Amino acid sequence: MTIDFRSDTFTRPTTGMMQAMTNAATGDDVFGEDPSVNRLEAMMADYFGKEAALYCPSGTMSNQIAIKVHTQPGDEVICSSLAHVYIYEGGGIAFNAGAQVRAIEGERGMITAEQVAAAINPDDVHKASTSLVCLENTSNRGGGCMYDIEEIKRIKTVCQDNHLKLHLDGARLFNALVAGGDNPKIYGKLFDSISVCLNKGMGCPMGSVLLGSAAYIKAARRIRKKLGGGLRQAGFMAATGIYAMEHHIARLAEDHYHAKQIAKALLEKSFIGHMLPVETNILIFEVLGDWTPKFFADYLKKHDILVMPISENQVRIVTHLDVTPAMIEKTCAAIAEMQ
Ligand SMILES: *Cc1c(COP(=O)(O)O)cnc(C)c1O
């Protein structure tokens, strides 16, 4: 059986999840009448201590809706130069919101309160109005690293002092919560809006949820419709989200343990260069000398193990729900044989 470490988006629904899907109560969600969607939204809002939530087809759509609702065309959005909203959403901030980005050179996709404060434009007609700060936790391109909640609190203070909104791209927020042990309601308090993905570590076939105040989510619902994201019997998919909320959060710790086991096997090898510290379920490391990323990936592919070269000298491995302890054992053995 193929072991797929390319992304945590490659998971297949489990038997329990399939059952939840086929048994789902549904209705027309564009009319607000899908009981499973309504339940998932209420569950998520409650979990993060937010007033309301909106089920969206993808994390990209929830981020884009979030940014559109927070900004006016011509505004400036502050984020890390490695932020998903900036580098992996097809230029969506410009396309959907007509806003521009002030990209900050952070540390592994994370930025500081001082950097945010320094990037805010003065009230000057020459300058774009800074209106929004976007953080990402965990940081995808930063190798699944996590913010210290104290830094987020400092960033929040800067935002409040300067009348800026604060959005969190929490595609992998559940990984951060499990690894860091913070109360999800603290995140709800600190951020004006949060998008969380269900299609990553949570193991659902699709879906993301955007969280915010009741008024904010009402505006977001209109944008979702404009983008074509109003789905009818979405309850079949929302049911997978409810199932994941009930069964797939605590188990993320296992994915984190698996990532550390692979890291240990890799670090035995002389051709493995710098590896970003492994904090959750993502490993990003350099492959040196004759072992180019492509050569490394091709070698493992012969063992039916898939990994992803992500730059001239880096490879990414992501652990997830469909990776078993036996698969980790097989992978570590294959790595041990490399020379
Ligand atoms: C995957 C991801 C998204 C978007 O998710 P899709 O559902 O694939 O559109 C957003 N932000 C981050 C950090 C991600 O890793």
Side-chain angles (χ1 to χ4, degrees):
M1 191 151 113
T2 304
I3 307 174
D4 203 333
F5 290 118
R6 287 174 300 166
S7 174
D8 45 9
T9 55
F10 284 90
T11 53
R12 309 279 310 194
T14 60
T15 311
M17 187 175 273
M18 289 292 269
Q19 258 161 14
M21 213 187 294
T22 50
N23 295 336
T26 61
D28 190 329
D29 180 48
V30 178
F31 284 76
E33 289 180 15
D34 190 301
S36 299
V37 173
N38 292 343
R39 185 164 159 231
L40 173 65
E41 288 176 349
M43 227 172 149
M44 282 280 187
D46 180 61
Y47 189 82
F48 288 98
K50 279 300 210 198
E51 276 175 7
L54 181 70
Y55 184 52
C56 295
S58 71
T60 299
M61 193 186 282
S62 11
N63 278 332
Q64 291 299 319
I65 292 171
I67 295 166
K68 172 67 187 158
V69 178
H70 283 310
T71 59
Q72 291 300 316
D75 281 2
E76 198 158 271
V77 177
I78 295 174
C79 65
S80 153
S81 60
L82 297 181
H84 194 282
V85 294
Y86 177 47
I87 60 172
Y88 293 136
E89 297 188 5
I93 293 181
F95 188 85
N96 296 305
Q100 64 185 30
V101 168
R102 171 76 70 97
I104 295 180
E105 216 55 60
E107 178 72 28
R108 302 177 63 199
M110 299 185 294
I111 55 180
T112 66
E114 290 71 25
Q115 287 179 312
V116 170
I120 300 168
N121 285 332
D123 184 8
D124 173 336
V125 290
H126 295 89
K127 301 285 186 178
S129 322
T130 308
S131 55
L132 176 65
V133 176
C134 288
L135 305 183
E136 186 175 310
N137 203 28
T138 66
S139 163
N140 178 341
R141 202 57 187 73
C145 58
M146 301 183 291
Y147 270 93
D148 176 350
I149 197 86
E150 295 308 317
E151 191 60 43
I152 300 179
K153 286 178 186 167
R154 284 190 284 273
I155 293 172
K156 172 71 176 176
T157 304
V158 171
C159 290
Q160 278 174 329
D161 291 348
N162 293 278
H163 310 288
L164 309 182
K165 299 293 183 194
L166 185 58
H167 171 71
L168 177 64
D169 176 353
R172 295 189 180 80
L173 181 54
F174 289 108
N175 293 87
L177 290 168
V178 167
D182 291 317
N183 183 339
K185 292 191 170 60
I186 297 177
Y187 279 84
K189 258 213 178 74
L190 290 171
F191 289 92
D192 296 291
S193 57
I194 301 176
S195 65
V196 293
C197 275
L198 293 164
N199 57 5
K200 303 274 167 82
M202 297 289 274
C204 299
M206 57 165 273
S208 163
V209 174
L210 177 63
L211 298 139
S213 69
Y216 178 84
I217 293 300
K218 186 168 178 229
R221 202 172 285 279
R222 289 191 76 93
I223 303 296
R224 187 186 69 173
K225 187 72 181 100
K226 287 195 213 325
L227 296 178
L231 305 180
R232 302 296 177 176
Q233 279 72 44
F236 288 114
M237 287 295 126
T240 68
I242 295 168
Y243 183 87
M245 288 294 286
E246 287 167 347
H247 298 93
H248 290 171
I249 298 180
R251 66 150 306 285
L252 291 170
E254 196 180 321
D255 298 343
H256 303 165
Y257 175 62
H258 286 163
K260 287 200 169 76
Q261 282 179 293
I262 297 174
K264 197 164 160 238
L266 285 169
L267 290 170
E268 294 286 321
K269 296 289 156 182
S270 58
F271 57 87
I272 298 297
H274 181 63
M275 180 185 290
L276 298 178
V278 179
E279 297 180 22
T280 55
N281 68 326
I282 303 178
L283 291 99
I284 293 180
F285 52 93
E286 284 177 357
V287 179
L288 308 173
D290 295 339
W291 279 90
T292 62
K294 184 176 173 336
F295 191 75
F296 181 89
D298 288 347
Y299 178 98
L300 286 176
K301 198 169 180 185
K302 289 194 197 99
H303 294 261
D304 232 3
I305 299 169
L306 306 181
V307 301
M308 195 153 80
I310 55 164
S311 74
E312 285 298 295
N313 59 354
Q314 287 173 308
V315 172
R316 186 180 86 164
I317 286 179
V318 186
T319 57
H320 52 73
L321 182 62
D322 287 1
V323 176
T324 63
M327 290 176 177
I328 294 294
E329 222 169 278
K330 180 182 164 180
T331 304
C332 290
I335 292 168
E337 280 172 14
M338 289 176 161
Q339 46 186 319

